[in-house]
Amino acid sequence: MSPPAPDILFEDVTFGWDGKAICQRFSLRLRGGKTSALLGRSGAGKSTLLRLAAGLLTPQQGRITSSLSGELAQQIAWMGQRDDLYPWLSVRDNVTLSARLNGARPDKKRAETLLAQVALEGLGDARPDALSGGMRQRVALARTLYQDRPVVLMDEPFAALDVMTRLRLQSLTARLLRDKTLLLVTHDPLEACRLAHDIYLLDDAPLRCRPFPAPDGDTPRPAQDGAVLQAQSQLFERLTCD
Ligand SMILES: Nc1ncnc2c1ncn2[C@@H]1O[C@H](COP(=O)(O)OP(=O)(O)OP(=O)(O)O)[C@@H](O)[C@H]1O
């Protein structure tokens, strides 16, 4: 059995680009096994925070740790706005890419099971170019699940999709990543209100984090639910008025 998904702790993290501070003594605890959404103005520093958590950038001060023992970077899977599928590999080989990169034997059966879970059954031999944008993002989701990491970082994963595809993928993501610690950067207040247990608004650099009350209830919350729509409109107001 996998260990429970860990809390992620940002402690007094300071980081800047070219002398411009993005965060100064920034602290935040992400609850293990829950989805936290980060929203804020473009350029506030949301992606920088994700990259710090992933170990792609190093804090100039402070630290980012997991409540599980071991290195946080090894506990993380990443999914971004672009699917980054390799066009010369089949869909199945894209899903099992992490095994190839680690010199492990790709588990084709598991890849097929995951493709079925994202409703792409039988498409393992297809090339990514033959798929729609929504299908490609579902392959990217299967690739993320294949890594079976307890923490998933998502940077605007559905931003490039049409609204109906986006809603479907949000629901699928919430179901398939239910037990993970998920940190989701999004510009979409509805996405945050449907998927997140904890919502944070980020002020411009140097970052300050303000909690916003997420609607009650299990995720994915229905997009047409009254409480979800009300929270979405309040969140939209906070984002546009601040
Ligand atoms: N590689 C880099 N070199 C220098 N500055 C950078 C680099 N990457 C990001 N920045 C700067 O850091 C700031 C925060 O960028 P970041 O991408 O984290 O913001 P964001 O909140 O994710 O924005 P968006 O919502 O538009 O994606 C911006 O001013 C950006 O120009």
Side-chain angles (χ1 to χ4, degrees), residues 47-121:
S47 301
T48 302
L49 272 191
L50 280 195
R51 286 155 76 188
L52 284 163
L56 300 172
L57 299 171
T58 308
Q60 285 144 0
Q61 279 176 42
R63 55 190 204 142
I64 306 166
T65 52
S66 154
S67 59
L68 276 182
S69 60
E71 212 182 308
L72 173 58
Q74 299 303 317
Q75 299 168 19
I76 283 176
W78 175 286
M79 185 171 162
Q81 182 175 349
R82 290 183 333 185
D83 53 63
D84 287 329
L85 301 180
Y86 289 113
W88 58 88
L89 294 180
S90 69
V91 162
R92 185 186 307 103
D93 287 349
N94 269 288
V95 171
T96 59
L97 187 66
S98 58
R100 292 159 149 253
L101 294 176
N102 294 330
R105 194 193 174 99
D107 185 341
K108 290 187 179 180
K109 212 167 151 201
R110 193 154 159 262
E112 296 300 342
T113 306
L114 290 170
L115 283 170
Q117 283 184 338
V118 299
L120 292 175
E121 201 157 14

Side-chain angles (χ1 to χ4, degrees), residues 17-18 20 22 40-49 51 57 155-156 185 187 202 205:
W17 289 111
D18 309 325
K20 183 191 165 205
I22 299 293
R41 254 189 276 274
S42 179
K46 303 177 294 296
S47 301
T48 302
L49 272 191
R51 286 155 76 188
L57 299 171
D155 197 357
E156 300 181 51
V185 164
H187 284 286
L202 291 178

Side-chain angles (χ1 to χ4, degrees), residues 164-182:
M164 293 313 294
T165 309
R166 193 184 315 164
L167 289 173
R168 274 198 290 274
L169 264 166
Q170 287 168 356
S171 300
L172 192 63
T173 299
R175 280 199 297 275
L176 295 177
L177 299 183
R178 188 171 297 285
D179 299 323
K180 313 264 187 204
T181 304
L182 172 57

